[in-house]
Amino acid sequence: MSSPIKCVILDDEILAISYLKLLCEQIENVEVIKAFNDPKIFLKEINTLDCNVCILDIEMPGMNGLQVAELISDSKKIIFTTAYKEYAAEAFDLNVIDYVRKPIKKERLIQAFEKIKEINTNSAKKNFIEWNTNIGKTVIFTQQISYIKTSEIDSRDKEILLKDNSIIVLKNLNFKSLLEMLPSKDFVQINKKEIIAISSIKVFSTSEIVTNIKINHENFLKLHIGESYRNALLEVFGNM
């Protein structure tokens, strides 16, 4: 039997906490360690608790769930709960596993915990790609990739933007093959010519992504979401 998922709940509404605890108790291998209705008390205690998952409400007075997530250790995985349709993604590079819409259904919560189990199972899988590039055969660690686009010089080639803003060109590789090489939980194709790392998404609407990739001192790279790719993007963010 796999190790239990030990979670902590933060929600400003007592009834919401009680309901969420009840659902968690009905899910095999999930244990609720503690629940909080005050973000400040939560932040004071979270690093002393034996837990690996934090279930955070987004909409709370004073300090919202996104702000709380930014202050949590990377060792804690995060599930957001929200009553709204908007898919806020400002903190998706902070170990956020899923967004679960309220009212929360047990089946949907199970899906979120299954994602965590899958990540734990696959954590030892290969985290790099190896391919011929403009600098020869190259090993590229996937966590260093910010963004990928089709080369304007030769559409058979793909340009990879790394976290340090350097660019590597993958020679003669199509998107289908490239996506099979990349961890599916970390990357998504957003149109015919572009793939984005989830960690590079700052916020998005139905048609546009604002990334955290700076193009100058004041502006960030914006990308168009193709209509036929929208559902795949929403799925990554826990669309119901």
Side-chain angles (χ1 to χ4, degrees):
M1 187 175 178
S2 57
S3 301
I5 294 174
K6 297 181 179 182
C7 63
V8 170
I9 297 169
L10 171 62
D11 196 306
D12 63 304
E13 297 179 4
I14 301 296
L15 283 176
I17 290 175
S18 299
Y19 177 65
L20 193 49
K21 281 179 70 176
L22 186 66
L23 290 183
C24 289
E25 286 166 2
Q26 295 173 20
I27 299 173
E28 187 179 355
N29 225 25
V30 173
E31 181 182 351
V32 177
I33 303 299
K34 197 166 183 178
F36 297 85
N37 68 337
D38 186 326
K40 291 180 181 177
I41 297 174
F42 170 89
L43 287 169
K44 280 182 183 177
E45 296 189 24
I46 187 60
N47 289 327
T48 66
L49 298 174
D50 177 22
C51 72
N52 42 31
V53 176
C54 298
I55 305 177
L56 308 179
D57 184 29
I58 290 182
E59 297 82 16
M60 294 183 291
M63 178 181 281
N64 67 37
L66 297 173
Q67 293 168 318
V68 171
E70 291 174 356
L71 301 173
I72 293 177
S73 163
D74 285 347
S75 65
K76 314 289 187 190
K77 294 179 176 64
I78 296 166
I79 296 172
F80 277 132
T81 62
T82 175
Y84 296 90
K85 291 183 180 180
E86 291 80 7
Y87 287 85
E90 292 93 330
F92 216 87
D93 57 337
L94 297 173
N95 254 0
V96 179
I97 303 302
D98 210 345
Y99 284 79
V100 180
R101 287 273 307 281
K102 292 181 177 180
I104 297 170
K105 297 176 182 176
K106 179 183 173 183
E107 293 75 18
R108 183 63 187 84
L109 193 58
I110 288 173
Q111 287 179 18
F113 285 124
E114 286 298 328
K115 287 184 181 182
I116 291 169
K117 290 175 186 175
E118 185 179 346
I119 289 168
N120 291 342
T121 302
N122 296 336
S123 60
K125 284 191 174 180
K126 194 166 75 170
N127 61 352
F128 62 87
I129 60 175
E130 189 174 3
W131 200 258
N132 289 325
T133 74
N134 57 315
I135 55 173
K137 195 162 188 179
T138 307
V139 173
I140 304 166
F141 290 94
T142 57
Q143 69 265 33
Q144 296 301 318
I145 299 173
S146 294
Y147 164 64
I148 303 168
K149 70 173 183 176
T150 299
S151 170
E152 294 176 8
I153 298 170
D154 187 337
S155 62
R156 293 173 299 177
D157 298 343
K158 306 297 175 280
E159 293 182 6
I160 289 183
L161 176 69
L162 299 177
K163 301 282 187 187
D164 64 0
N165 290 323
S166 60
I167 294 174
I168 293 177
V169 181
L170 299 173
K171 307 300 289 184
N172 196 20
L173 180 63
N174 62 46
F175 267 0
K176 184 177 183 297
S177 299
L178 178 53
L179 284 166
E180 288 173 358
M181 297 162 68
L182 294 167
S184 59
K185 66 181 177 64
D186 296 330
F187 294 88
V188 64
Q189 185 172 355
I190 56 170
N191 56 51
K192 288 182 179 179
K193 295 185 175 182
E194 295 172 306
I195 293 171
I196 189 73
I198 300 301
S199 62
S200 296
I201 298 175
K202 194 172 184 182
V203 67
F204 68 89
S205 65
T206 55
S207 60
E208 184 180 69
I209 287 173
V210 179
T211 74
N212 53 29
I213 301 166
K214 282 196 170 183
I215 53 177
N216 54 45
H217 289 301
E218 297 179 356
N219 298 305
F220 294 89
L221 177 67
K222 294 181 180 181
L223 305 172
H224 171 70
I225 302 171
E227 189 172 347
S228 58
Y229 296 88
R230 190 175 300 136
N231 286 341
L233 178 63
L234 293 178
E235 266 184 40
V236 173
F237 286 85
N239 185 31
M240 292 180 68

